[in-house]
Amino acid sequence: MKLATLKTGAPGHARDGRLVVVSDDLKSCADAAAAAPTLQAALDDWDAAAPKLRAIAEALNADPSGAGAPFDQSAALSPLPRAYQWADGSAYVNHVELVRKARGAEMPDSFWTDPLMYQGGSDAFLAPRAPIPMADDETWGIDLEGEVAVITGDVPMGCDRETAAAAIRLVMLVNDVSLRGLIPGELAKGFGFFQSKPSSAFSPVAVTPDALGEAWGGGKLHLPLLVDVNGAPFGRANAGVDMTFDFPTLIAHAARTRPLGAGAIIGSGTVSNKLDGGPGKPVSEGGAGYSCIAEIRMIETIANGKPSTSFLRFGDRVRIWMEDASGQSIFGEIDQEVIRYSGP
């Protein structure tokens, strides 16, 4: 089944929106209040809420016009407009290897066996069609990062991979915005990301793993992540290829020393493919392209000594989505424009 959160002005629920069930074709939706008022409420009591949500989904898909209303992706918030936990991994080690190679650094062998992960801000996610507001300084190196993420139920501390896999409730896409110009200074302090990681945006729709069919297997999503920048194809990397650490592994890593509460979001990190023994080619040359600008700049630096592709500028637009075998959008589209922030 597919779930979304719509904007609402209702007192007490404005920040967390209103939960709806979305039809498989993303054209219709039905109110989910009979099961849970918000997605977080559904996750908190998943065993009771899920059967009710599935019943709504079955009725909606059987008779979309009779059981639901039109689904407007532009009215959707991120499925969890705010979350108790947002931990982003770096499961595609090819991406990490390129980062280090571009600056002439060797990559430790442990990076292939021990996942990298940071804890991001989760109190205010952007809506999937909301602009990306940035202070009037393009030198910050505004970048997109196309990723896949999962939402979990309760995960016990120290759990094994099988327990972690069973805790996956929903799958969605991410634009994990990064400010590349601020990252080096922050990391040099030895305390990790903060200002260099502004609010992320998630796909309009979150999907249960079973609804993904054969595309979901081995704790991975085996489909290309489609990324356009200013209307031109930029990335077509397959999320199931070159993923060194699957989602159960990432979840177990996050829960090694503490439990994760229902509604925790775990990200894959930038989707990156290493094809034919080398970096992916641009989409324009028949390759898989890239899921962030930093990666193509790294490849340019390795090849030519300096990058030629610029980071995002004001007015640039990013579109991220994924299609099933028939060409139908699965999660809806993240479609965002970079704008100048006018201040509070």
Side-chain angles (χ1 to χ4, degrees):
M1 68 181 163
K2 302 188 176 187
L3 304 175
T5 296
L6 299 183
K7 302 171 186 176
T8 176
H13 294 296
R15 294 192 183 193
D16 298 308
R18 174 173 65 91
L19 181 64
V20 296
V21 177
V22 181
S23 61
D24 290 343
D25 61 8
L26 305 185
K27 293 181 179 179
S28 303
C29 66
D31 187 81
T38 66
L39 180 54
Q40 183 61 54
L43 293 162
D44 285 338
D45 193 15
W46 188 253
D47 288 345
K52 297 177 183 178
L53 292 170
R54 290 189 183 280
I56 296 171
E58 290 174 2
L60 179 63
N61 285 310
D63 183 14
S65 59
F71 176 57
D72 180 6
Q73 293 187 35
S74 65
L77 300 170
S78 283
L80 284 172
R82 54 179 176 170
Y84 292 116
Q85 181 69 268
W86 160 227
D88 199 14
S90 193
Y92 299 86
V93 181
N94 172 62
H95 175 73
V96 182
E97 188 174 35
L98 285 171
V99 171
R100 298 182 71 87
K101 185 176 181 181
R103 66 172 190 258
E106 293 293 324
M107 191 174 75
D109 290 340
S110 63
F111 281 24
W112 293 100
T113 57
D114 189 24
L116 295 174
M117 185 171 285
Y118 80 92
Q119 188 174 36
S122 60
D123 53 330
F125 295 131
L126 297 173
R129 299 297 178 88
I132 301 170
M134 285 291 152
D136 196 6
D137 192 345
E138 292 177 342
T139 64
W140 283 357
I142 307 162
D143 200 359
L144 66 110
E145 286 195 60
E147 306 182 11
V148 179
V150 297
I151 304 176
T152 75
D154 289 308
V155 182
M157 184 174 75
C159 71
D160 58 19
R161 185 183 177 282
E162 289 69 28
T163 302
I168 296 173
R169 300 287 181 258
L170 295 160
V171 184
M172 54 186 179
L173 307 181
V174 194
N175 181 16
D176 180 40
V177 182
S178 294
L179 302 179
R180 302 295 184 182
L182 301 184
I183 287 177
E186 285 206 297
L187 293 184
K189 296 178 181 179
F191 240 46
F193 302 120
F194 196 83
Q195 291 180 340
S196 53
K197 287 290 188 177
S199 296
S200 300
F202 296 83
S203 53
V205 174
V207 180
T208 52
D210 64 283
L212 296 168
E214 294 182 356
W216 181 260
K220 303 177 184 181
L221 182 51
H222 299 268
L223 288 170
L225 181 67
L226 310 179
V227 181
D228 283 4
V229 176
N230 293 328
F234 182 79
R236 299 294 186 265
N238 194 304
V241 175
D242 300 317
M243 188 180 190
T244 306
F245 305 106
D246 60 22
F247 279 108
T249 300
L250 293 175
I251 294 167
H253 177 83
R256 182 182 180 189
T257 60
R258 57 177 158 180
L260 304 179
I265 304 173
I266 305 295
S268 67
T270 304
V271 176
S272 177
N273 285 173
K274 184 176 183 178
L275 304 177
D276 300 324
K281 294 180 180 179
V283 177
S284 59
E285 297 178 11
Y290 316 93
S291 302
C292 71
I293 294 172
E295 186 162 309
I296 188 173
R297 284 171 61 89
M298 296 170 210
I299 291 171
E300 291 167 347
T301 299
I302 293 167
N304 307 314
K306 63 180 181 179
S308 56
T309 301
S310 64
F311 288 115
L312 297 174
R313 302 183 185 279
F314 298 120
D316 284 348
R317 182 172 292 277
V318 175
R319 181 173 171 237
I320 300 172
W321 77 106
M322 186 175 279
E323 297 175 354
D324 61 20
S326 68
Q328 167 69 41
S329 177
I330 299 171
F331 302 94
E333 299 177 1
I334 299 171
D335 191 348
Q336 299 180 282
E337 180 184 358
V338 180
I339 65 168
R340 285 181 172 86
Y341 177 57
S342 59

